[in-house]
Amino acid sequence: MGSSRNLTLYVDLLSQPCRAVTIFCSGMIDDDDDDDEDARVNEIEAVVQIVSFVKKETREPLFLAINPLGQVPAIDDGGFTLSESHTIMRYLAATRKVADHWYPEDLEKRACVDRMLDWHFGNLHRDVAQFLVHRELAPLLGRTKNPTLAAEAEDSLKQSLKTMETVWLKDSPFLAGGSQPSIADISSACELQQLKLLDKEEPGALLAPYEKVKAWMVAVEEFTAPYFMDAHCVLEKVAQIFEDRRKCEAEAEVETAPKL
């Protein structure tokens, strides 16, 4: 089913859920380029409004009128407002003309996608978020890094990766059992991209034992190219800033170390 209503998408591309929704709506009309006629993964057109969490734009009255919880992503579809990335993608799949594999009409296949969306939020999303906070992001949140909690979160993350490898991807190239990706694949793939905020070598080391997970990541990126990498440009820039900061801190430690 198509829709002629005007859709506005509110996102901050540092956010995994925002990137997932953005990729799903690939090739959107942008504020700065209303004439963009590029091929798109889905036939969804929208005005993209960047709302910066860091600049506290999510707390401004104009945005709170869209989502009183002050969280992105959110949409305004001709006056109907909605938040929560999984719900947004389900809604857009139902109201726009998109390929069936993203969120199938068949109720059994759809239930498999819903299961993966629920598993993602309760497992992979939790694990990645906790690991990053306690390993890297705590000072930015006014907290102290906690190596013990970081180690526990890393163990939990490895268990989730093992589950993906041995259960969800055991007999299928994609998480919900299909031969093509669903919205659950986009969400989970974007989640693992958050690991780029760690030391440059660490994401590869974490994923090294999981051949099917690595192949799946490549498959999702290739299927949604070039939009997958486009949506991650901001994250890549921030990851480089983090890497440069770690290098400076390491050099400073060497310079201040006692000379023997």
Side-chain angles (χ1 to χ4, degrees):
M1 178 172 62
S3 175
S4 60
R5 298 202 294 185
N6 295 325
L7 176 68
T8 301
L9 175 61
Y10 299 87
V11 296
D12 181 339
L13 293 178
L14 280 177
S15 156
Q16 169 273 325
C18 289
R19 295 195 304 273
V21 173
T22 300
I23 294 165
F24 180 63
C25 300
S26 299
M28 291 179 179
I29 298 174
D30 188 89
D31 278 338
D32 299 322
D33 189 7
D34 286 348
D35 295 322
D36 187 357
E37 295 296 334
D38 290 346
R40 49 183 64 112
V41 173
N42 290 309
E43 296 182 9
I44 301 176
E45 295 184 346
V47 173
V48 179
Q49 182 70 47
I50 302 299
V51 183
S52 172
F53 174 80
V54 174
K55 295 179 181 179
K56 299 183 178 180
E57 292 174 351
T58 54
R59 307 310 303 173
E60 293 182 357
L62 284 176
F63 180 70
L64 290 175
I66 302 298
N67 182 8
L69 298 179
Q71 297 173 342
V72 285
I75 64 170
D76 182 338
D77 189 23
F80 172 67
T81 59
L82 193 65
S83 59
E84 301 297 336
S85 63
H86 293 169
T87 301
I88 289 171
M89 288 190 287
R90 289 182 180 115
Y91 169 77
L92 292 176
T95 60
R96 265 63 179 182
K97 182 181 178 181
V98 304
D100 186 68
H101 63 85
W102 292 113
Y103 196 57
E105 289 287 339
D106 181 279
L107 292 182
E108 291 185 1
K109 293 179 180 179
R110 177 174 290 194
C112 289
V113 175
D114 287 332
R115 174 177 60 187
M116 289 313 311
L117 291 170
D118 291 343
W119 182 87
H120 161 254
F121 185 77
N123 295 272
L124 193 64
H125 176 70
R126 174 203 63 201
D127 298 337
V128 171
Q130 290 298 310
F131 184 43
L132 286 174
V133 166
H134 296 302
R135 173 66 70 84
E136 190 68 40
L137 303 180
L140 299 178
L141 302 173
R143 300 161 61 178
T144 303
K145 291 182 181 180
N146 189 318
T148 299
L149 293 179
E152 291 176 358
E154 182 176 2
D155 288 342
S156 185
L157 173 57
K158 289 178 178 177
Q159 183 57 51
S160 288
L161 291 170
K162 182 179 179 180
T163 298
M164 292 176 70
E165 182 83 5
T166 61
V167 179
W168 307 130
L169 297 171
K170 180 182 178 182
D171 300 313
S172 169
F174 296 104
L175 293 173
S179 60
Q180 293 178 299
S182 70
I183 56 178
D185 292 286
I186 299 178
S187 284
S188 291
C190 288
E191 195 71 63
L192 289 181
Q193 288 291 314
Q194 291 290 95
L195 296 174
K196 290 189 174 183
L197 295 175
L198 297 169
D199 183 272
K200 186 180 295 185
E201 304 300 324
E202 195 160 6
L206 280 168
L207 294 176
Y210 310 105
E211 295 297 331
K212 290 183 178 180
V213 173
K214 290 187 292 183
W216 162 79
M217 286 285 291
V218 171
V220 173
E221 180 178 334
E222 289 181 347
F223 196 97
T224 57
Y227 305 111
F228 189 90
M229 291 311 300
D230 288 348
H232 285 85
C233 285
V234 175
L235 180 69
E236 294 277 0
K237 291 178 181 178
V238 173
Q240 187 59 54
I241 292 172
F242 278 34
E243 187 69 20
D244 294 342
R245 186 191 66 190
R246 283 189 290 266
K247 185 180 296 185
C248 290
E249 290 174 349
E251 292 173 351
E253 287 180 5
V254 171
E255 290 177 0
T256 59
K259 300 294 190 293
L260 300 179

